[in-house]
Amino acid sequence: MNIEQRIHTEIKAHFLGLPEVEDISRDCTAIRKYMAAVTAVANAKIPKNEQVAVEDRMIPGIDSSVQIPLRIYSPKSKFDDMPGLLWFHGGGFILGDLETDDHWCASIAHEVQCTVVSVDYRLAPEHPFPAGTGDCYCALLWM
């Protein structure tokens, strides 16, 4: 029995069009490339939430040579004292980026009526600990 035969018919359509899994083993570059392809396919299937404004911004890092990318999601129906949520995508500090949870962040901003700030922290192994956590802390201080 192949993997396609094991997928329940009600969810099989969600898997159609995903890129084939190659031998990505422990190569971070290959894993990231595959994850980006899967994310792009998934994001293309979900319409943008037109009730949420999205802004990309850079903030200073721990030292002047580091700039940290952020994506800010705000409901278009803003109000005073709106709550905020600081979002760190998953990936164990080696995978993920702003696109990974783009629809989740927009959905949360809309459904909860809060501003969501998503952080594109630096990833290991290119940027060893504590680079990623330092970026997240800088985003917390900025927010």
Side-chain angles (χ1 to χ4, degrees):
M1 177 181 289
N2 68 25
I3 191 68
E4 189 174 322
Q5 293 169 324
R6 294 179 180 184
I7 299 173
H8 194 280
T9 54
E10 289 182 18
I11 63 170
K12 191 179 288 189
H14 296 286
F15 290 93
L16 297 176
L18 288 179
E20 291 290 323
V21 177
E22 300 173 13
D23 179 21
I24 53 179
S25 59
R26 295 179 183 267
D27 178 2
C28 284
T29 303
I31 295 169
R32 289 177 189 153
K33 183 179 174 184
Y34 176 74
M35 291 297 297
V38 169
T39 298
V41 169
N43 284 349
K45 292 181 179 187
I46 304 171
K48 293 281 184 195
N49 188 328
E50 298 299 328
Q51 297 178 30
V52 175
V54 179
E55 174 191 355
D56 287 335
R57 181 180 286 189
M58 302 290 277
I59 63 166
I62 290 175
D63 63 60
S64 60
S65 68
V66 175
Q67 291 288 300
I68 305 164
L70 303 176
R71 185 166 290 161
I72 303 167
Y73 303 82
S74 302
K76 289 185 177 175
S77 56
K78 293 181 181 180
F79 57 90
D80 290 341
D81 297 328
M82 190 165 54
L85 172 68
L86 186 58
W87 185 269
F88 308 118
H89 64 78
F93 289 96
I94 60 167
L95 299 173
D97 57 24
L98 291 175
E99 300 304 321
T100 304
D101 293 340
D102 186 61
H103 289 290
W104 281 109
C105 292
S107 178
I108 291 168
H110 174 68
E111 295 296 325
V112 179
Q113 288 295 292
C114 70
T115 297
V116 177
V117 177
S118 180
V119 183
D120 195 14
Y121 55 82
R122 290 173 291 164
L123 303 174
E126 297 87 351
H127 303 282
F129 178 83
T133 53
D135 293 352
C136 293
Y137 184 65
C138 286
L140 174 66
L141 294 178
W142 176 85
M143 192 171 173

